Amino acid sequence: MCDPRASILSCARENLVPLARKHLLPLAIDHLLPILKEAVNMIRGVPNDEITHMKHELESIEDAIHEADKMADAEGANPSDGTREKINQLIEASFRIQDLIDEYIIREEQQLPDPGCAGGGSDYVKTKILRLQIAHDIQNIKSRIREIKEDTSSETDHEGSSSSITNPNATLLQNLRKAPFYMKEADVVGFEKPRDKLVDWLVKGRDELTVVSVVAMGGQGKTTLARKVFESKEVVGCFEYRIWITVSQSYNIEELLRGILKDLCEQQKVNPPQMIHEMNKESLVKIVRNYLQEKRYVVVFDDVWNSSFWADIKFAMIDKQKGCRILITTRIMDVATSCRESSFVEIHELKGLDHEQSLKLFNKKAFYDLNGCCPENLVHISSKIVEKCNGLPLAIVVTGGLLCKNRNTIEWYKFNENIKPKLKKDSLINKILVLSYHDLSYNLKSCLLYFGMYPEDCKVNSERLIRQWIAEGFVKEEEGMTLEEVAEGYLTELIHRSLVQVVSINIGGRAKRCRVHDLVHDMILKKIEDLSFCKNISEDGQSTSNGIVQRLLITTNSDNLMENIESSHVRSLIVLKPYTLHESVVRKITTKYRFLKVFDAELAGEIEVPEDLGSLNHLKYFSIKAFEQETELPQSIGMLENLETLDLTGASVLDFPKEICKLRKLRHFLGNLMYLVELKDGIGDMTSLQTLWKVYLNDNDEDIELIEELGKLKQLKKLGLEGVGKKHTSVLSSSINKMQQMEKLSIKSHESDEYIDLDLDLPKLQYLVLEGQLEKLPEWIEKNQNLVKLKLVSSKLPEDSMKLLKSMPNLLSISLIENAYVGETLHFQNEWFKNLKELYLENLDNLKDILIDQGALPSLRKFHIHSFSVLQLKTIPTDIQHLKKLEDLRISVVCDKFMQNLLLNGGKDHWIFKQVPFVEIKDRREL
């Protein structure tokens, strides 16, 4: 049967468009218009509800993919298995749908020409025909999806009878969970200190019921540690009832209660109640409470995944104030913190083993028959191998097991060269880690997989990562929150689930840089391959993922490895240091990568940004680095209507086209001393901006106009300005005070001796940098009670200036740099700066004495003193001995007498800081 839409399409292509071009356009408008209107009625294009349906279909397919992937992992399916083949078909269908939706968005955002205007008729029809093509493609995709679903359904029915077969991977994990019950005390390594800490929490302290949690990633040894504590003589002798319950990902609360009840009956040597298997939750809770009410008990709930678990079980755990304890092991921090609403809580985050502990555990496994003694010829290579396990007990045990049968030195060196692939292939490690992956929501899975876009051991900037997540569409809107706040919550959850490690935090406690453990990274790469998430084009020609590619990670300087990529599907292109993007690739970006959303790369040589950059309608994240030349931005950049992040911090851009002001969705605009005077007539319309960093000002009237325009950016949270002069300050204060969402502000004067005289009232301000001379410490700083970090540079503050800040409740860090303080004595009096954690003093040339009264700076953890010139301060403050929480003391100066007094092994002032855990003292002349 003939498809009427196909007939219309064919007819339009063959007759209508050529007719309009050759004959109709020269005719009068009143003759042309009826003909074109009739064509429009014939070709209606794609209804919006069809696209909405496809979006729902896409979500449904993505859910099906992840459910099937979870099942395939549980079954240990290989890439050639039928399950994986069906997953690949669904993935391809989902990619096709995304292409269709994105193509539709492009067409919808293009302004339809008016068929009543000369020259617009043929374009109007062509646009409608293209939309009709999209409609046809949608029907084809829907037919293909139906076929896949029908095939999958019939195979499921056919294979249903095999579902009862025992899953070998489930058996493997059950055996692993039971292993700590049968380990010898001597086989447990590295848990002495945490064991003692946990035992103290259980047997000592308060009478009220307390929940103690051990939190760590999979394979860290939580169950082993808990078992060691559970069976310690201190715990055995202190509790009348000791109960161990394994919870796992999916649990039935009634079954858990029955397990507790049976254990209690066994310890009392009585039979369980009759009809126990028919009792409901309320009946079971009542009986368990009855058994526990007059006893001191400890219950271990091992391997808890759900943060609502404590709410399910807490009513059974009666509290008669007899010092009862609950011990929970979990990978998820929220499980531990969720107990706080109704009980006292103690949390221990279990860290990896140090090198010595790791080596000891490895030797016990690899040289079991030698009582853990490593042969001399294998000592060096053993240390190298253990280093690559990164302190993860599971990886160490597996590695020791792999090597225990072959002690040939050459083979061990070969193993060390290929240890990562060998551990990656080990099913036990992957099965344990992939459990955490499958416990994530769809959005969080995508966010975690994005770490695979970065190399192993890469310390990823959190802000950069979050902005890329948003550009990719992983972050869903939540009422009352910005997308950045939602995404930061995603990152926090991945950290709390022990899947992402924090490398560094800012003083406010937010993650600045993060990474994933090497073995988690390997697991991610395996999932990337399973799900065609991204492709890595590397130096050796090897790459992960096949078929359709949506994301490209380039780790090569070669330009000939991308020829076989079906580039039309690519959404993200990332090139990381030290690699650069070749000119041949850059030239093709706007034509071959039409759906690109994320571009993050360094350009090689003298490559220019493409003139037609604006044709990338979907681009949301654009970051370039070009260190070898000045970068010019094309005027077409104003066409990037969906751009959210423009990061030019790695490029030198002299001129900014005024078309940038058209980027109304831009949220983050970053650069290096950007001179934006050309934008003075339109930047105020960029009202979505949250970040503007850093802008350079000149001493002219046009810059005054620019500053006034900045006052319209009321959503700004981060602003960096340099070159601020005295004539700017009045209008600058007025504009900044309109930015009531401001959290981070940096102001640098044109010259170091030029005064900065601002008057600000920013209730959400947390980070403030003022670089320039101040007549006195501004009183407005004290009024910003949410201020967390204050950095002053070249301020030349006189004696006693710090008194104004002494009682600020949230101030955690103060930095005084380059003669920010010119007094001879810096005196911290009793009760001053109760919450301050960090104090940095650098190049304060006039400073002779630092006085710290007892009771001052009681929370100080870091204290750094640095000077590049001869220091007048001749001795370290003796009052440092009163800083009980000081953990990090660093001193680098140019002063012989000062250094002599501080010599660690005999200097007369050494006693002052001997209680500080980390001390670093350096002579600047030797650096």
Side-chain angles (χ1 to χ4, degrees):
M1 182 175 178
C2 181
D3 185 343
R5 291 191 179 187
S7 299
I8 294 171
L9 177 62
S10 176
C11 176
R13 281 176 171 168
E14 295 175 9
N15 301 307
L16 184 58
V17 174
L19 181 67
R21 284 177 176 168
K22 294 181 180 180
H23 303 292
L24 297 180
L25 291 181
L27 298 179
I29 293 300
D30 57 338
H31 291 288
L32 176 63
L33 193 58
I35 300 172
L36 292 181
K37 282 185 175 180
E38 183 179 355
V40 170
N41 289 331
M42 292 170 60
I43 305 173
R44 287 295 181 184
V46 187
N48 285 329
D49 58 350
E50 190 74 47
I51 290 297
T52 301
H53 172 75
M54 293 307 292
K55 288 181 179 179
H56 291 319
E57 188 70 50
L58 179 60
E59 292 176 1
S60 174
I61 290 174
E62 288 171 342
D63 288 340
I65 289 169
H66 284 275
E67 281 302 313
D69 178 52
K70 182 177 181 179
M71 188 181 303
D73 280 339
E75 295 170 351
N78 296 315
S80 59
D81 290 347
T83 304
R84 283 286 172 212
E85 181 59 33
K86 287 290 179 282
I87 291 172
N88 291 335
Q89 291 175 10
L90 287 170
I91 289 170
E92 183 172 343
S94 73
F95 287 173
R96 298 292 182 189
I97 292 175
Q98 289 176 42
D99 287 352
L100 284 173
I101 292 172
D102 288 345
E103 184 72 48
Y104 176 80
I105 290 171
I106 289 176
R107 300 303 171 192
E108 280 300 298
E109 288 182 349
Q110 289 176 346
Q111 187 70 37
L112 273 175
D114 186 347
C117 297
S122 65
D123 289 338
Y124 186 94
V125 174
K126 281 192 293 183
T127 301
K128 280 295 185 180
I129 289 173
L130 287 170
R131 291 183 182 177
L132 185 57
Q133 286 179 315
I134 294 174
H136 276 282
D137 290 339
I138 287 175
Q139 296 306 316
N140 291 335
I141 287 289
K142 288 170 74 173
S143 297
R144 178 61 184 142
I145 292 169
R146 280 195 296 270
E147 290 174 10
I148 295 172
K149 287 181 175 179
E150 288 168 4
D151 290 346
T152 304
S153 177
S154 62
E155 288 181 15
T156 302
D157 293 340
H158 178 71
E159 297 172 1
S161 59
S162 65
S163 62
S164 59
I165 298 174
T166 303
N167 183 345
N169 290 321
T171 304
L172 179 71
L173 293 172
Q174 287 172 10
N175 291 338
L176 181 72
R177 182 63 54 197
K178 293 176 182 177
F181 288 74
Y182 308 109
M183 292 178 69
K184 298 177 183 177
E185 179 72 17
D187 290 338
V188 182
V189 173
F191 290 149
E192 292 78 12
K193 287 184 178 179
R195 178 257 184 213
D196 292 344
K197 179 180 181 181
L198 292 174
V199 167
D200 278 351
W201 280 348
L202 293 185
V203 303
K204 298 178 181 178
R206 63 181 71 90
D207 292 333
E208 293 85 357
L209 177 70
T210 302
V211 181
V212 176
S213 295
V214 180
V215 184
M217 67 178 285
Q220 197 80 65
K222 301 180 294 296
T223 301
T224 301
L225 172 60
R227 196 72 203 179
K228 189 173 183 180
V229 170
F230 185 74
E231 294 181 344
S232 67
K233 62 182 181 180
E234 298 94 330
V235 170
V236 170
C238 195
F239 294 94
E240 296 166 90
Y241 287 145
R242 294 183 309 120
I243 303 164
W244 184 287
I245 300 293
T246 300
V247 181
S248 298
Q249 279 179 294
S250 57
Y251 66 89
N252 179 289
I253 189 62
E254 286 84 2
E255 286 303 315
L256 292 184
L257 290 168
R258 290 184 188 106
I260 295 171
L261 190 51
K262 288 177 182 179
D263 204 334
L264 288 169
C265 292
E266 186 177 333
Q267 292 185 43
Q268 283 198 358
K269 298 182 179 179
V270 298
N271 292 325
Q274 292 184 349
M275 311 296 286
I276 184 175
H277 293 290
E278 298 179 12
M279 292 181 179
N280 60 20
K281 178 182 175 181
E282 288 71 22
S283 300
L284 290 166
V285 166
K286 185 176 180 180
I287 297 174
V288 170
R289 286 174 63 89
N290 189 52
Y291 271 92
L292 295 176
Q293 65 177 338
E294 297 302 329
K295 304 291 184 181
R296 187 180 189 194
Y297 63 85
V298 58
V299 182
V300 177
F301 292 110
D302 182 40
D303 196 28
V304 179
W305 291 75
N306 198 319
S307 59
S308 64
F309 170 76
W310 181 241
D312 285 339
I313 201 73
K314 64 182 180 182
F315 293 115
M317 303 291 102
I318 191 169
D319 183 12
K320 289 288 187 175
Q321 298 196 4
K322 293 181 176 293
C324 298
R325 299 290 185 262
I326 307 297
L327 178 58
I328 289 174
T329 69
T330 182
R331 306 182 185 196
I332 304 169
M333 181 61 73
D334 287 352
V335 169
T337 56
S338 65
C339 305
R340 284 184 173 144
E341 64 179 59
S342 58
S343 61
F344 292 97
V345 168
E346 302 287 357
I347 299 173
H348 177 70
E349 292 188 66
L350 186 60
K351 305 301 182 184
L353 303 180
D354 62 29
H355 186 70
E356 183 181 346
Q357 294 167 339
S358 299
L359 200 55
K360 185 176 179 181
L361 178 59
F362 174 79
N363 289 343
K364 282 181 178 291
K365 297 301 175 183
F367 310 112
Y368 183 82
D369 56 329
L370 300 178
N371 294 320
C373 295
C374 177
E376 190 173 341
N377 63 311
L378 295 175
V379 169
H380 177 71
I381 189 59
S382 293
S383 181
K384 293 274 188 186
I385 290 171
V386 164
E387 221 171 84
K388 294 183 178 180
C389 293
N390 288 313
L392 188 68
L394 177 63
I396 296 166
V397 168
V398 169
T399 304
L402 291 172
L403 292 171
C404 68
K405 299 173 184 177
N406 184 349
R407 291 172 185 164
N408 180 284
T409 308
I410 294 174
E411 292 300 319
W412 277 43
Y413 274 95
K414 288 181 180 178
F415 181 93
N416 181 54
E417 291 173 2
N418 298 285
I419 186 171
K420 289 300 168 62
K422 291 182 183 297
L423 287 178
K424 192 188 301 184
K425 290 178 182 177
D426 185 87
S427 61
L428 179 60
I429 292 176
N430 194 63
K431 293 301 173 190
I432 287 176
L433 295 178
V434 85
L435 284 174
S436 292
Y437 167 79
H438 285 304
D439 193 56
L440 298 173
S441 65
Y442 175 76
N443 290 352
L444 283 177
K445 284 178 180 176
S446 298
C447 292
L448 180 64
L449 292 182
Y450 215 75
F451 279 93
M453 296 286 286
Y454 291 89
E456 188 177 278
D457 293 324
C458 182
K459 298 172 182 177
V460 185
N461 180 282
S462 299
E463 286 189 341
R464 175 189 194 179
L465 182 68
I466 280 172
R467 290 166 187 166
Q468 289 173 347
W469 284 352
I470 293 171
E472 289 277 2
F474 300 156
V475 183
K476 303 304 179 186
E477 291 185 359
E478 292 188 20
E479 189 175 353
M481 299 177 69
T482 65
L483 288 174
E484 287 77 9
E485 289 168 343
V486 176
E488 190 171 349
Y490 288 3
L491 180 59
T492 300
E493 184 167 351
L494 291 174
I495 293 167
H496 285 179
R497 285 174 172 267
S498 307
L499 285 166
V500 173
Q501 300 173 338
V502 177
V503 176
S504 60
I505 60 173
N506 62 26
I507 190 62
R510 291 177 173 175
K512 289 170 60 178
R513 293 186 177 274
C514 52
R515 65 182 294 272
V516 292
H517 191 282
D518 290 355
L519 293 177
V520 174
H521 193 268
D522 290 339
M523 180 271 291
I524 288 172
L525 294 183
K526 173 68 168 59
K527 298 315 303 172
I528 279 175
E529 189 172 355
D530 288 344
L531 301 171
S532 301
F533 185 82
C534 77
K535 187 181 187 73
N536 179 5
I537 300 179
S538 60
E539 287 280 5
D540 58 9
Q542 300 295 315
S543 62
T544 58
S545 183
N546 298 306
I548 295 178
V549 177
Q550 283 202 318
R551 298 172 186 87
L552 281 178
L553 170 63
I554 311 297
T555 53
T556 176
N557 287 320
S558 175
D559 66 330
N560 60 2
L561 296 178
M562 296 176 62
E563 295 301 319
N564 59 344
I565 299 296
E566 193 176 347
S567 55
S568 62
H569 300 281
V570 173
R571 298 306 199 274
S572 298
L573 180 60
I574 294 180
V575 185
L576 299 175
K577 289 182 179 180
Y579 305 104
T580 56
L581 201 58
H582 199 274
E583 183 178 8
S584 61
V585 180
V586 175
R587 281 202 309 265
K588 300 174 185 175
I589 285 174
T590 53
T591 55
K592 296 191 69 175
Y593 299 85
R594 294 188 310 121
F595 295 144
L596 201 65
K597 291 183 177 180
V598 174
F599 181 87
D600 190 346
E602 181 175 336
L603 307 184
E606 298 183 357
I607 301 176
E608 296 181 356
V609 178
E611 283 294 324
D612 57 346
L613 179 69
S615 64
L616 297 175
N617 303 67
H618 292 278
L619 195 64
K620 293 188 175 184
Y621 182 101
F622 185 61
S623 174
I624 58 168
K625 300 167 186 66
F627 296 103
E628 297 185 18
Q629 66 164 10
E630 293 175 358
T631 301
E632 289 188 17
L633 297 178
Q635 292 181 351
S636 68
I637 195 171
M639 297 169 61
L640 300 176
E641 295 179 357
N642 293 303
L643 194 66
E644 297 171 345
T645 296
L646 179 58
D647 187 348
L648 305 170
T649 50
S652 175
V653 182
L654 294 183
D655 297 314
F656 289 85
K658 59 185 178 182
E659 285 77 10
I660 286 179
C661 295
K662 297 178 181 179
L663 305 179
R664 303 298 168 81
K665 294 182 182 179
L666 195 67
R667 307 160 76 88
H668 307 285
F669 188 9
L670 304 99
N672 182 25
L673 297 181
M674 300 185 294
Y675 187 54
L676 302 182
V677 70
E678 292 294 326
L679 311 187
K680 64 183 176 63
D681 294 325
I683 195 171
D685 295 326
M686 300 171 69
T687 53
S688 296
L689 273 178
Q690 297 179 25
T691 304
L692 184 57
W693 197 276
K694 282 187 171 181
V695 176
Y696 184 77
L697 300 175
N698 273 334
D699 192 11
N700 56 43
D701 292 338
E702 286 185 320
D703 283 63
I704 297 292
E705 294 177 41
L706 176 65
I707 294 170
E708 289 176 340
E709 193 76 3
L710 293 181
K712 299 177 182 179
L713 304 178
K714 297 181 180 181
Q715 297 303 313
L716 265 186
K717 292 187 175 185
K718 298 180 182 179
L719 175 63
L721 299 174
E722 297 198 15
V724 175
K726 192 168 185 179
K727 66 181 296 184
H728 297 139
T729 54
S730 176
V731 65
L732 187 58
S733 293
S734 175
S735 287
I736 292 178
N737 279 331
K738 296 174 184 177
M739 306 171 186
Q740 290 294 288
Q741 303 300 317
M742 185 66 65
E743 295 178 0
K744 183 175 182 178
L745 177 64
S746 176
I747 304 292
K748 182 178 180 180
S749 64
H750 182 66
E751 299 290 346
S752 61
D753 60 351
E754 192 158 6
Y755 283 96
I756 299 176
D757 184 18
L758 299 173
D759 185 10
L760 303 179
D761 181 14
L762 302 170
K764 295 185 179 182
L765 188 65
Q766 297 177 38
Y767 303 89
L768 176 63
V769 179
L770 295 177
E771 189 166 347
Q773 196 163 339
L774 300 171
E775 291 184 8
K776 63 177 182 177
L777 195 62
E779 293 183 3
W780 60 263
I781 294 180
E782 181 192 17
K783 296 176 183 177
N784 289 279
Q785 290 293 294
N786 287 313
L787 194 66
V788 171
K789 183 173 182 176
L790 175 63
K791 181 178 179 180
L792 302 175
V793 183
S794 304
S795 306
K796 297 184 179 178
L797 293 173
E799 205 92 34
D800 292 334
S801 297
M802 305 308 291
K803 185 184 299 184
L804 184 69
L805 309 175
K806 62 184 176 66
S807 299
M808 294 186 69
N810 295 305
L811 190 58
L812 303 179
S813 176
I814 295 177
S815 299
L816 302 177
I817 314 294
E818 297 293 343
N819 292 320
Y821 182 82
V822 292
E824 294 185 352
T825 301
L826 191 56
H827 186 186
F828 297 95
Q829 299 179 31
N830 183 31
E831 300 286 313
W832 281 25
F833 298 103
K834 288 185 176 181
N835 297 315
L836 196 73
K837 293 182 178 180
E838 300 177 356
L839 178 60
Y840 302 95
L841 307 178
E842 184 173 315
N843 293 333
L844 305 183
D845 296 340
N846 294 344
L847 189 62
K848 294 181 179 179
D849 293 295
I850 301 174
L851 304 177
I852 305 172
D853 292 353
Q854 191 162 359
L857 304 171
S859 302
L860 197 67
R861 298 181 184 277
K862 285 186 179 181
F863 188 14
H864 294 189
I865 302 173
H866 303 295
S867 178
F868 289 94
S869 58
V870 176
L871 190 68
Q872 294 200 45
L873 184 69
K874 303 304 180 187
T875 182
I876 190 171
T878 58
D879 303 315
I880 282 180
Q881 62 180 310
H882 301 312
L883 303 178
K884 302 300 182 184
K885 293 187 178 181
L886 190 62
E887 299 171 349
D888 184 338
L889 176 64
R890 306 188 193 199
I891 301 172
S892 54
V893 296
V894 179
C895 181
D896 291 333
K897 185 175 181 181
F898 193 96
M899 295 301 296
Q900 289 171 6
N901 289 338
L902 288 181
L903 287 176
L904 295 180
N905 297 319
K908 70 182 183 66
D909 292 336
H910 176 234
W911 65 273
I912 297 170
F913 54 82
K914 65 180 181 180
Q915 83 286 358
V916 181
F918 180 85
V919 178
E920 181 180 84
I921 298 174
K922 293 181 179 179
D923 190 328
R924 277 284 180 185
R925 291 166 294 189
E926 298 175 2
L927 297 180

